[in-house]
Short mmCIF file of all heavy atoms in Angstrom, two decimals:
data_model
loop_
_atom_site.label_atom_id
_atom_site.label_comp_id
_atom_site.label_asym_id
_atom_site.label_seq_id
_atom_site.Cartn_x
_atom_site.Cartn_y
_atom_site.Cartn_z
N ALA A 1 141.65 135.26 159.27
CA ALA A 1 141.22 135.52 157.90
C ALA A 1 142.28 136.32 157.14
O ALA A 1 142.55 136.04 155.99
CB ALA A 1 139.89 136.25 157.88
N PHE A 2 142.87 137.33 157.81
CA PHE A 2 143.89 138.16 157.15
C PHE A 2 145.08 137.31 156.70
O PHE A 2 145.54 137.44 155.57
CB PHE A 2 144.35 139.27 158.10
CG PHE A 2 145.48 140.10 157.57
CD1 PHE A 2 145.29 140.95 156.49
CD2 PHE A 2 146.74 140.05 158.15
CE1 PHE A 2 146.34 141.72 156.00
CE2 PHE A 2 147.78 140.81 157.67
CZ PHE A 2 147.58 141.66 156.59
N GLU A 3 145.55 136.44 157.57
CA GLU A 3 146.70 135.60 157.22
C GLU A 3 146.40 134.71 156.03
O GLU A 3 147.24 134.53 155.15
CB GLU A 3 147.15 134.77 158.43
CG GLU A 3 147.74 135.60 159.55
CD GLU A 3 148.99 136.35 159.15
OE1 GLU A 3 149.80 135.83 158.35
OE2 GLU A 3 149.18 137.48 159.64
N LEU A 4 145.21 134.15 155.98
CA LEU A 4 144.83 133.31 154.84
C LEU A 4 144.71 134.13 153.55
O LEU A 4 145.19 133.71 152.50
CB LEU A 4 143.50 132.60 155.11
CG LEU A 4 143.52 131.48 156.14
CD1 LEU A 4 142.10 131.00 156.42
CD2 LEU A 4 144.38 130.33 155.66
N ASP A 5 144.09 135.28 153.63
CA ASP A 5 143.87 136.11 152.44
C ASP A 5 145.16 136.70 151.89
O ASP A 5 145.26 136.93 150.70
CB ASP A 5 142.86 137.22 152.74
CG ASP A 5 141.44 136.71 152.84
OD1 ASP A 5 141.15 135.63 152.30
OD2 ASP A 5 140.62 137.40 153.47
N ARG A 6 146.14 136.94 152.75
CA ARG A 6 147.38 137.52 152.23
C ARG A 6 148.40 136.46 151.84
O ARG A 6 149.51 136.77 151.43
CB ARG A 6 147.98 138.51 153.22
CG ARG A 6 148.66 137.89 154.39
CD ARG A 6 149.30 138.95 155.22
NE ARG A 6 150.15 138.31 156.21
CZ ARG A 6 151.20 138.87 156.74
NH1 ARG A 6 151.53 140.09 156.40
NH2 ARG A 6 151.91 138.23 157.64
N GLY A 7 148.00 135.21 151.91
CA GLY A 7 148.89 134.12 151.55
C GLY A 7 149.19 134.08 150.06
O GLY A 7 148.34 134.38 149.23
N THR A 8 150.42 133.76 149.73
CA THR A 8 150.86 133.65 148.35
C THR A 8 150.97 132.18 147.98
O THR A 8 151.44 131.37 148.77
CB THR A 8 152.22 134.35 148.18
OG1 THR A 8 152.05 135.75 148.43
CG2 THR A 8 152.77 134.17 146.79
N THR A 9 150.52 131.83 146.79
CA THR A 9 150.64 130.47 146.28
C THR A 9 151.33 130.52 144.91
O THR A 9 151.69 131.60 144.44
CB THR A 9 149.25 129.81 146.11
OG1 THR A 9 148.54 130.49 145.07
CG2 THR A 9 148.44 129.85 147.40
N SER A 10 151.46 129.38 144.27
CA SER A 10 152.08 129.36 142.95
C SER A 10 151.26 130.12 141.91
O SER A 10 151.78 130.61 140.93
CB SER A 10 152.31 127.92 142.48
OG SER A 10 151.08 127.24 142.38
N LYS A 11 149.95 130.24 142.14
CA LYS A 11 149.07 130.94 141.19
C LYS A 11 148.69 132.34 141.67
O LYS A 11 148.12 133.12 140.92
CB LYS A 11 147.79 130.14 140.96
CG LYS A 11 148.03 128.82 140.28
CD LYS A 11 146.74 128.09 140.07
CE LYS A 11 146.99 126.74 139.41
NZ LYS A 11 145.77 126.00 139.22
N ARG A 12 148.98 132.66 142.92
CA ARG A 12 148.52 133.92 143.52
C ARG A 12 149.68 134.62 144.20
O ARG A 12 150.26 134.10 145.14
CB ARG A 12 147.43 133.61 144.54
CG ARG A 12 146.77 134.81 145.15
CD ARG A 12 145.63 134.34 146.04
NE ARG A 12 144.76 135.40 146.41
CZ ARG A 12 144.73 135.94 147.62
NH1 ARG A 12 145.49 135.49 148.58
NH2 ARG A 12 143.90 136.93 147.88
N GLN A 13 150.01 135.82 143.71
CA GLN A 13 151.09 136.61 144.28
C GLN A 13 150.51 137.87 144.91
O GLN A 13 149.93 138.69 144.21
CB GLN A 13 152.11 136.98 143.19
CG GLN A 13 152.73 135.79 142.50
CD GLN A 13 153.54 134.93 143.44
OE1 GLN A 13 154.32 135.42 144.24
NE2 GLN A 13 153.33 133.62 143.39
N VAL A 14 150.67 138.02 146.21
CA VAL A 14 150.18 139.20 146.91
C VAL A 14 151.27 140.27 146.88
O VAL A 14 152.40 140.02 147.27
CB VAL A 14 149.79 138.86 148.37
CG1 VAL A 14 149.44 140.11 149.14
CG2 VAL A 14 148.64 137.87 148.38
N SER A 15 150.92 141.46 146.40
CA SER A 15 151.89 142.55 146.31
C SER A 15 151.64 143.63 147.36
O SER A 15 152.51 144.46 147.61
CB SER A 15 151.86 143.16 144.91
OG SER A 15 150.57 143.63 144.60
N TYR A 16 150.46 143.62 147.97
CA TYR A 16 150.12 144.63 148.98
C TYR A 16 149.20 144.00 150.01
O TYR A 16 148.26 143.28 149.65
CB TYR A 16 149.42 145.83 148.33
CG TYR A 16 148.87 146.82 149.32
CD1 TYR A 16 149.69 147.77 149.91
CD2 TYR A 16 147.53 146.79 149.70
CE1 TYR A 16 149.20 148.68 150.84
CE2 TYR A 16 147.03 147.70 150.62
CZ TYR A 16 147.87 148.63 151.18
OH TYR A 16 147.38 149.52 152.10
N SER A 17 149.46 144.30 151.27
CA SER A 17 148.53 143.91 152.34
C SER A 17 148.66 144.92 153.48
O SER A 17 149.76 145.41 153.76
CB SER A 17 148.80 142.48 152.83
OG SER A 17 150.08 142.39 153.42
N SER A 18 147.53 145.24 154.08
CA SER A 18 147.49 146.20 155.18
C SER A 18 146.44 145.75 156.19
O SER A 18 145.31 145.44 155.82
CB SER A 18 147.15 147.59 154.64
OG SER A 18 147.05 148.52 155.70
N LEU A 19 146.82 145.72 157.45
CA LEU A 19 145.92 145.31 158.52
C LEU A 19 145.71 146.48 159.47
O LEU A 19 146.67 147.02 160.03
CB LEU A 19 146.51 144.12 159.28
CG LEU A 19 145.74 143.60 160.50
CD1 LEU A 19 144.36 143.10 160.09
CD2 LEU A 19 146.53 142.51 161.18
N LYS A 20 144.47 146.91 159.63
CA LYS A 20 144.08 148.00 160.53
C LYS A 20 143.09 147.44 161.55
O LYS A 20 142.57 146.34 161.38
CB LYS A 20 143.43 149.14 159.74
CG LYS A 20 144.30 149.71 158.64
CD LYS A 20 145.49 150.44 159.18
CE LYS A 20 146.30 151.04 158.04
NZ LYS A 20 147.51 151.65 158.48
N PRO A 21 142.78 148.18 162.61
CA PRO A 21 141.88 147.64 163.64
C PRO A 21 140.50 147.20 163.13
O PRO A 21 139.96 146.21 163.61
CB PRO A 21 141.75 148.80 164.64
CG PRO A 21 143.02 149.56 164.50
CD PRO A 21 143.36 149.46 163.02
N LEU A 22 139.92 147.91 162.16
CA LEU A 22 138.56 147.59 161.71
C LEU A 22 138.48 147.07 160.28
O LEU A 22 137.39 146.81 159.79
CB LEU A 22 137.65 148.80 161.87
CG LEU A 22 137.44 149.27 163.31
CD1 LEU A 22 136.58 150.53 163.35
CD2 LEU A 22 136.81 148.17 164.15
N PHE A 23 139.62 146.94 159.59
CA PHE A 23 139.59 146.40 158.24
C PHE A 23 140.98 145.92 157.83
O PHE A 23 141.97 146.25 158.47
CB PHE A 23 139.08 147.44 157.23
CG PHE A 23 140.06 148.52 156.89
CD1 PHE A 23 140.93 148.38 155.81
CD2 PHE A 23 140.13 149.68 157.63
CE1 PHE A 23 141.84 149.36 155.49
CE2 PHE A 23 141.03 150.68 157.32
CZ PHE A 23 141.89 150.52 156.25
N TYR A 24 141.00 145.16 156.75
CA TYR A 24 142.27 144.85 156.10
C TYR A 24 142.08 144.84 154.60
O TYR A 24 140.96 144.70 154.10
CB TYR A 24 142.88 143.54 156.61
CG TYR A 24 142.15 142.27 156.25
CD1 TYR A 24 142.38 141.63 155.04
CD2 TYR A 24 141.25 141.69 157.13
CE1 TYR A 24 141.73 140.45 154.71
CE2 TYR A 24 140.61 140.50 156.83
CZ TYR A 24 140.85 139.89 155.61
OH TYR A 24 140.21 138.72 155.30
N ALA A 25 143.16 145.03 153.89
CA ALA A 25 143.13 145.05 152.42
C ALA A 25 144.27 144.21 151.89
O ALA A 25 145.35 144.16 152.49
CB ALA A 25 143.24 146.48 151.91
N VAL A 26 144.02 143.53 150.78
CA VAL A 26 145.00 142.68 150.13
C VAL A 26 144.84 142.86 148.63
O VAL A 26 143.73 142.91 148.12
CB VAL A 26 144.77 141.19 150.50
CG1 VAL A 26 145.78 140.30 149.81
CG2 VAL A 26 144.81 140.98 152.00
N SER A 27 145.97 142.94 147.91
CA SER A 27 145.88 143.00 146.45
C SER A 27 147.09 142.30 145.84
O SER A 27 148.10 142.07 146.50
CB SER A 27 145.80 144.44 145.96
OG SER A 27 146.99 145.14 146.25
N GLY A 28 146.93 141.96 144.56
CA GLY A 28 148.01 141.27 143.87
C GLY A 28 147.54 140.70 142.55
O GLY A 28 146.58 141.19 141.95
N VAL A 29 148.22 139.64 142.13
CA VAL A 29 147.94 139.02 140.84
C VAL A 29 147.61 137.55 141.07
O VAL A 29 148.28 136.86 141.84
CB VAL A 29 149.17 139.14 139.90
CG1 VAL A 29 148.93 138.42 138.60
CG2 VAL A 29 149.51 140.60 139.66
N GLU A 30 146.55 137.10 140.41
CA GLU A 30 146.14 135.69 140.45
C GLU A 30 145.94 135.23 139.02
O GLU A 30 144.97 135.63 138.36
CB GLU A 30 144.87 135.55 141.27
CG GLU A 30 144.53 134.13 141.63
CD GLU A 30 143.50 134.04 142.73
OE1 GLU A 30 142.85 135.04 143.08
OE2 GLU A 30 143.35 132.93 143.27
N GLY A 31 146.88 134.44 138.54
CA GLY A 31 146.82 134.03 137.14
C GLY A 31 147.01 135.23 136.23
O GLY A 31 147.98 135.97 136.35
N LYS A 32 146.04 135.47 135.34
CA LYS A 32 146.10 136.60 134.41
C LYS A 32 145.31 137.80 134.91
O LYS A 32 145.11 138.76 134.18
CB LYS A 32 145.58 136.18 133.04
CG LYS A 32 146.42 135.12 132.38
CD LYS A 32 145.86 134.76 131.03
CE LYS A 32 146.74 133.71 130.37
NZ LYS A 32 146.29 133.39 129.02
N GLU A 33 144.85 137.73 136.16
CA GLU A 33 144.00 138.79 136.70
C GLU A 33 144.65 139.49 137.89
O GLU A 33 145.42 138.90 138.62
CB GLU A 33 142.66 138.22 137.14
CG GLU A 33 141.86 137.61 136.00
CD GLU A 33 140.56 137.01 136.46
OE1 GLU A 33 140.49 136.47 137.58
OE2 GLU A 33 139.60 137.09 135.68
N ILE A 34 144.28 140.74 138.07
CA ILE A 34 144.65 141.51 139.24
C ILE A 34 143.45 141.49 140.19
O ILE A 34 142.30 141.54 139.75
CB ILE A 34 144.98 142.96 138.85
CG1 ILE A 34 146.23 142.97 137.96
CG2 ILE A 34 145.18 143.84 140.07
CD1 ILE A 34 146.56 144.32 137.37
N PHE A 35 143.71 141.41 141.49
CA PHE A 35 142.62 141.45 142.46
C PHE A 35 142.91 142.49 143.53
O PHE A 35 144.05 142.81 143.83
CB PHE A 35 142.39 140.07 143.10
CG PHE A 35 143.50 139.64 144.03
CD1 PHE A 35 143.45 139.94 145.38
CD2 PHE A 35 144.58 138.94 143.55
CE1 PHE A 35 144.47 139.56 146.24
CE2 PHE A 35 145.61 138.54 144.38
CZ PHE A 35 145.55 138.86 145.74
N TYR A 36 141.85 143.05 144.07
CA TYR A 36 141.91 143.94 145.22
C TYR A 36 140.76 143.54 146.13
O TYR A 36 139.62 143.44 145.69
CB TYR A 36 141.76 145.42 144.82
CG TYR A 36 141.94 146.34 146.01
CD1 TYR A 36 143.20 146.82 146.34
CD2 TYR A 36 140.87 146.67 146.81
CE1 TYR A 36 143.37 147.63 147.46
CE2 TYR A 36 141.04 147.49 147.93
CZ TYR A 36 142.28 147.97 148.24
OH TYR A 36 142.45 148.77 149.34
N GLN A 37 141.08 143.31 147.38
CA GLN A 37 140.08 142.85 148.34
C GLN A 37 140.17 143.67 149.61
O GLN A 37 141.25 143.95 150.11
CB GLN A 37 140.35 141.38 148.68
CG GLN A 37 139.47 140.83 149.78
CD GLN A 37 139.82 139.39 150.11
OE1 GLN A 37 140.18 138.62 149.23
NE2 GLN A 37 139.73 139.04 151.37
N LYS A 38 139.01 144.07 150.13
CA LYS A 38 138.94 144.76 151.41
C LYS A 38 137.91 144.05 152.27
O LYS A 38 136.80 143.77 151.82
CB LYS A 38 138.54 146.22 151.21
CG LYS A 38 138.52 147.02 152.51
CD LYS A 38 138.24 148.49 152.23
CE LYS A 38 138.26 149.31 153.50
NZ LYS A 38 137.97 150.73 153.22
N THR A 39 138.29 143.76 153.50
CA THR A 39 137.40 143.11 154.45
C THR A 39 137.26 144.03 155.66
O THR A 39 138.26 144.50 156.20
CB THR A 39 137.95 141.74 154.88
OG1 THR A 39 138.06 140.91 153.72
CG2 THR A 39 137.04 141.07 155.90
N ILE A 40 136.01 144.29 156.07
CA ILE A 40 135.74 145.16 157.22
C ILE A 40 135.02 144.38 158.29
O ILE A 40 134.39 143.35 158.02
CB ILE A 40 134.90 146.40 156.81
CG1 ILE A 40 133.54 145.98 156.27
CG2 ILE A 40 135.65 147.25 155.80
CD1 ILE A 40 132.57 147.13 156.05
N MET A 41 135.12 144.88 159.52
CA MET A 41 134.32 144.36 160.62
C MET A 41 133.10 145.26 160.73
O MET A 41 133.23 146.48 160.85
CB MET A 41 135.11 144.39 161.93
CG MET A 41 136.23 143.38 161.98
SD MET A 41 135.67 141.66 161.85
CE MET A 41 134.67 141.50 163.32
N ALA A 42 131.92 144.67 160.65
CA ALA A 42 130.67 145.43 160.72
C ALA A 42 129.70 144.71 161.65
O ALA A 42 129.24 143.62 161.32
CB ALA A 42 130.06 145.59 159.34
N LYS A 43 129.44 145.30 162.79
CA LYS A 43 128.51 144.73 163.77
C LYS A 43 128.88 143.29 164.12
O LYS A 43 128.02 142.42 164.21
CB LYS A 43 127.07 144.82 163.25
CG LYS A 43 126.63 146.24 162.99
CD LYS A 43 125.21 146.29 162.45
CE LYS A 43 124.85 147.72 162.14
NZ LYS A 43 123.53 147.84 161.55
N GLY A 44 130.17 143.05 164.29
CA GLY A 44 130.63 141.72 164.69
C GLY A 44 130.81 140.73 163.56
O GLY A 44 131.23 139.60 163.78
N ASP A 45 130.47 141.11 162.35
CA ASP A 45 130.62 140.24 161.19
C ASP A 45 131.74 140.75 160.29
O ASP A 45 132.04 141.94 160.26
CB ASP A 45 129.33 140.21 160.36
CG ASP A 45 128.18 139.54 161.09
OD1 ASP A 45 128.43 138.55 161.81
OD2 ASP A 45 127.04 140.02 160.94
N MET A 46 132.33 139.84 159.54
CA MET A 46 133.31 140.22 158.54
C MET A 46 132.60 140.33 157.19
O MET A 46 131.88 139.41 156.80
CB MET A 46 134.43 139.19 158.46
CG MET A 46 135.24 139.12 159.73
SD MET A 46 136.50 137.83 159.67
CE MET A 46 137.66 138.60 158.57
N VAL A 47 132.78 141.45 156.51
CA VAL A 47 132.16 141.70 155.21
C VAL A 47 133.28 141.99 154.22
O VAL A 47 134.14 142.84 154.48
CB VAL A 47 131.18 142.88 155.28
CG1 VAL A 47 130.51 143.11 153.94
CG2 VAL A 47 130.13 142.65 156.37
N THR A 48 133.26 141.31 153.07
CA THR A 48 134.34 141.43 152.09
C THR A 48 133.82 141.90 150.74
O THR A 48 132.79 141.44 150.27
CB THR A 48 135.05 140.07 151.91
OG1 THR A 48 135.61 139.67 153.16
CG2 THR A 48 136.16 140.15 150.88
N ALA A 49 134.58 142.81 150.14
CA ALA A 49 134.36 143.22 148.75
C ALA A 49 135.63 142.89 147.99
O ALA A 49 136.73 143.15 148.47
CB ALA A 49 134.05 144.70 148.66
N LYS A 50 135.48 142.29 146.80
CA LYS A 50 136.64 141.92 146.00
C LYS A 50 136.41 142.33 144.56
O LYS A 50 135.35 142.06 144.00
CB LYS A 50 136.90 140.42 146.09
CG LYS A 50 138.15 139.98 145.36
CD LYS A 50 138.42 138.50 145.59
CE LYS A 50 139.68 138.05 144.88
NZ LYS A 50 139.94 136.62 145.07
N LEU A 51 137.40 142.99 143.99
CA LEU A 51 137.35 143.40 142.59
C LEU A 51 138.46 142.64 141.86
O LEU A 51 139.61 142.63 142.29
CB LEU A 51 137.59 144.91 142.49
CG LEU A 51 137.58 145.54 141.11
CD1 LEU A 51 136.20 145.37 140.46
CD2 LEU A 51 137.93 147.01 141.20
N THR A 52 138.09 141.99 140.76
CA THR A 52 139.04 141.22 139.96
C THR A 52 138.91 141.68 138.51
O THR A 52 137.80 141.82 137.99
CB THR A 52 138.72 139.71 140.05
OG1 THR A 52 138.73 139.32 141.43
CG2 THR A 52 139.75 138.89 139.30
N TYR A 53 140.06 141.92 137.86
CA TYR A 53 140.03 142.40 136.49
C TYR A 53 141.29 141.95 135.75
O TYR A 53 142.29 141.60 136.36
CB TYR A 53 139.87 143.92 136.44
CG TYR A 53 140.85 144.68 137.30
CD1 TYR A 53 142.05 145.13 136.79
CD2 TYR A 53 140.57 144.94 138.64
CE1 TYR A 53 142.95 145.82 137.58
CE2 TYR A 53 141.45 145.63 139.43
CZ TYR A 53 142.65 146.07 138.90
OH TYR A 53 143.55 146.73 139.70
N MET A 54 141.23 141.99 134.44
CA MET A 54 142.35 141.58 133.60
C MET A 54 143.48 142.61 133.69
O MET A 54 143.22 143.81 133.85
CB MET A 54 141.91 141.42 132.15
CG MET A 54 140.82 140.37 131.94
SD MET A 54 141.28 138.72 132.54
CE MET A 54 142.56 138.30 131.38
N LYS A 55 144.72 142.13 133.56
CA LYS A 55 145.88 143.01 133.67
C LYS A 55 145.82 144.18 132.70
O LYS A 55 146.20 145.30 133.05
CB LYS A 55 147.17 142.22 133.45
CG LYS A 55 147.49 141.26 134.56
CD LYS A 55 148.78 140.50 134.25
CE LYS A 55 149.08 139.49 135.31
NZ LYS A 55 150.30 138.71 135.00
N GLU A 56 145.34 143.95 131.50
CA GLU A 56 145.30 145.02 130.51
C GLU A 56 144.31 146.13 130.87
O GLU A 56 144.35 147.22 130.32
CB GLU A 56 145.03 144.49 129.10
CG GLU A 56 143.73 143.74 128.95
CD GLU A 56 143.87 142.22 129.12
OE1 GLU A 56 144.88 141.75 129.67
OE2 GLU A 56 142.95 141.53 128.70
N ASP A 57 143.41 145.86 131.81
CA ASP A 57 142.43 146.85 132.25
C ASP A 57 142.90 147.62 133.49
O ASP A 57 142.15 148.43 134.04
CB ASP A 57 141.09 146.18 132.55
CG ASP A 57 140.46 145.57 131.32
OD1 ASP A 57 140.66 146.14 130.22
OD2 ASP A 57 139.79 144.53 131.44
N LYS A 58 144.12 147.41 133.92
CA LYS A 58 144.65 148.02 135.14
C LYS A 58 144.49 149.54 135.18
O LYS A 58 144.01 150.07 136.19
CB LYS A 58 146.12 147.62 135.33
CG LYS A 58 146.73 148.10 136.64
CD LYS A 58 148.16 147.60 136.75
CE LYS A 58 148.82 147.88 138.06
NZ LYS A 58 148.60 149.11 138.72
N PRO A 59 144.87 150.29 134.14
CA PRO A 59 144.71 151.75 134.22
C PRO A 59 143.27 152.20 134.49
O PRO A 59 143.03 153.12 135.27
CB PRO A 59 145.17 152.25 132.85
CG PRO A 59 146.08 151.18 132.35
CD PRO A 59 145.50 149.90 132.88
N THR A 60 142.32 151.53 133.89
CA THR A 60 140.90 151.87 134.09
C THR A 60 140.48 151.62 135.53
O THR A 60 139.87 152.48 136.18
CB THR A 60 140.02 151.06 133.14
OG1 THR A 60 140.41 151.34 131.80
CG2 THR A 60 138.55 151.38 133.34
N TYR A 61 140.79 150.45 136.06
CA TYR A 61 140.34 150.08 137.39
C TYR A 61 141.13 150.76 138.49
O TYR A 61 140.58 151.08 139.55
CB TYR A 61 140.34 148.57 137.56
CG TYR A 61 139.19 147.93 136.85
CD1 TYR A 61 139.33 147.39 135.58
CD2 TYR A 61 137.93 147.89 137.44
CE1 TYR A 61 138.26 146.81 134.91
CE2 TYR A 61 136.85 147.32 136.78
CZ TYR A 61 137.02 146.79 135.52
OH TYR A 61 135.96 146.23 134.87
N ASP A 62 142.43 150.99 138.28
CA ASP A 62 143.22 151.69 139.30
C ASP A 62 142.63 153.05 139.61
O ASP A 62 142.68 153.51 140.75
CB ASP A 62 144.67 151.83 138.86
CG ASP A 62 145.48 150.56 139.08
OD1 ASP A 62 144.93 149.59 139.64
OD2 ASP A 62 146.66 150.55 138.68
N ALA A 63 142.08 153.71 138.62
CA ALA A 63 141.47 155.02 138.83
C ALA A 63 140.22 154.95 139.69
O ALA A 63 139.86 155.92 140.35
CB ALA A 63 141.14 155.65 137.48
N MET A 64 139.55 153.80 139.71
CA MET A 64 138.29 153.65 140.45
C MET A 64 138.46 153.05 141.84
O MET A 64 137.61 153.24 142.70
CB MET A 64 137.35 152.73 139.67
CG MET A 64 136.80 153.31 138.42
SD MET A 64 135.57 152.21 137.71
CE MET A 64 136.60 151.16 136.70
N ILE A 65 139.52 152.29 142.06
CA ILE A 65 139.65 151.50 143.29
C ILE A 65 139.57 152.34 144.55
O ILE A 65 138.83 152.01 145.48
CB ILE A 65 140.92 150.64 143.26
CG1 ILE A 65 140.70 149.47 142.31
CG2 ILE A 65 141.29 150.14 144.64
CD1 ILE A 65 141.91 148.61 142.11
N ALA A 66 140.31 153.43 144.62
CA ALA A 66 140.32 154.25 145.84
C ALA A 66 138.93 154.74 146.18
O ALA A 66 138.48 154.61 147.32
CB ALA A 66 141.29 155.42 145.68
N THR A 67 138.22 155.29 145.21
CA THR A 67 136.87 155.80 145.45
C THR A 67 135.92 154.67 145.86
O THR A 67 135.17 154.79 146.82
CB THR A 67 136.33 156.51 144.19
OG1 THR A 67 137.22 157.55 143.85
CG2 THR A 67 134.94 157.06 144.44
N LEU A 68 135.98 153.59 145.13
CA LEU A 68 135.09 152.47 145.37
C LEU A 68 135.29 151.86 146.76
O LEU A 68 134.35 151.71 147.53
CB LEU A 68 135.31 151.40 144.29
CG LEU A 68 134.41 150.19 144.32
CD1 LEU A 68 132.99 150.60 143.95
CD2 LEU A 68 134.92 149.15 143.35
N PHE A 69 136.53 151.56 147.10
CA PHE A 69 136.77 150.88 148.36
C PHE A 69 136.84 151.81 149.57
O PHE A 69 136.61 151.38 150.68
CB PHE A 69 138.03 150.01 148.26
CG PHE A 69 137.76 148.73 147.50
CD1 PHE A 69 137.98 148.65 146.14
CD2 PHE A 69 137.25 147.62 148.14
CE1 PHE A 69 137.72 147.49 145.43
CE2 PHE A 69 136.98 146.46 147.45
CZ PHE A 69 137.21 146.40 146.09
N ASP A 70 137.12 153.11 149.36
CA ASP A 70 137.04 154.05 150.47
C ASP A 70 135.61 154.21 150.96
O ASP A 70 135.37 154.49 152.13
CB ASP A 70 137.59 155.42 150.06
CG ASP A 70 139.11 155.45 150.04
OD1 ASP A 70 139.74 154.49 150.52
OD2 ASP A 70 139.67 156.43 149.52
N SER A 71 134.64 153.99 150.06
CA SER A 71 133.25 154.10 150.46
C SER A 71 132.74 152.84 151.17
O SER A 71 131.66 152.83 151.73
CB SER A 71 132.37 154.39 149.24
OG SER A 71 132.36 153.27 148.37
N PHE A 72 133.53 151.80 151.13
CA PHE A 72 133.16 150.51 151.75
C PHE A 72 133.63 150.53 153.20
O PHE A 72 134.76 150.23 153.51
CB PHE A 72 133.81 149.36 150.96
CG PHE A 72 133.48 147.99 151.46
CD1 PHE A 72 132.17 147.56 151.52
CD2 PHE A 72 134.47 147.12 151.86
CE1 PHE A 72 131.86 146.28 151.96
CE2 PHE A 72 134.18 145.85 152.30
CZ PHE A 72 132.86 145.43 152.37
N LYS A 73 132.73 150.95 154.10
CA LYS A 73 133.08 151.11 155.52
C LYS A 73 132.06 150.44 156.38
O LYS A 73 130.94 150.30 156.08
CB LYS A 73 133.17 152.57 155.89
CG LYS A 73 134.25 153.28 155.12
CD LYS A 73 134.27 154.73 155.46
CE LYS A 73 135.35 155.42 154.65
NZ LYS A 73 135.48 156.80 154.91
#
């Protein structure tokens, strides 16, 4: 799943990816939007949260991402 999610295409450019034992995170640009995705292992299942927003809203969402996704465990 990590390899697929961190893949770059002509429409999707990944600028950050991190793989840890119990989760991984991927972020970048897809078209006119920025995305941030975190996937965790929970009781044997993979659970994903993804936030997508317009580039012009980056300052607003960047301030929230750490708090929001740090709580996703």
Side-chain angles (χ1 to χ4, degrees):
F2 174 69
E3 292 298 324
L4 288 173
D5 286 338
R6 76 176 190 153
T8 296
T9 67
S10 61
K11 295 181 181 179
R12 185 175 194 254
Q13 301 297 314
V14 173
S15 57
Y16 172 81
S17 64
S18 178
L19 177 62
K20 303 292 182 185
L22 296 177
F23 75 91
Y24 68 86
V26 179
S27 66
V29 176
E30 192 164 13
K32 296 181 179 183
E33 297 178 326
I34 295 173
F35 70 91
Y36 185 89
Q37 174 182 324
K38 183 174 182 181
T39 299
I40 62 171
M41 290 298 297
K43 299 179 183 177
D45 293 323
M46 295 177 74
V47 181
T48 299
K50 184 175 180 181
L51 180 63
T52 304
Y53 51 93
M54 300 303 292
K55 291 179 183 178
E56 59 266 18
D57 295 327
K58 185 178 186 321
T60 301
Y61 284 97
D62 279 357
M64 290 186 272
I65 286 176
T67 302
L68 184 69
F69 283 93
D70 283 349
S71 67
F72 182 59
K73 298 178 181 181

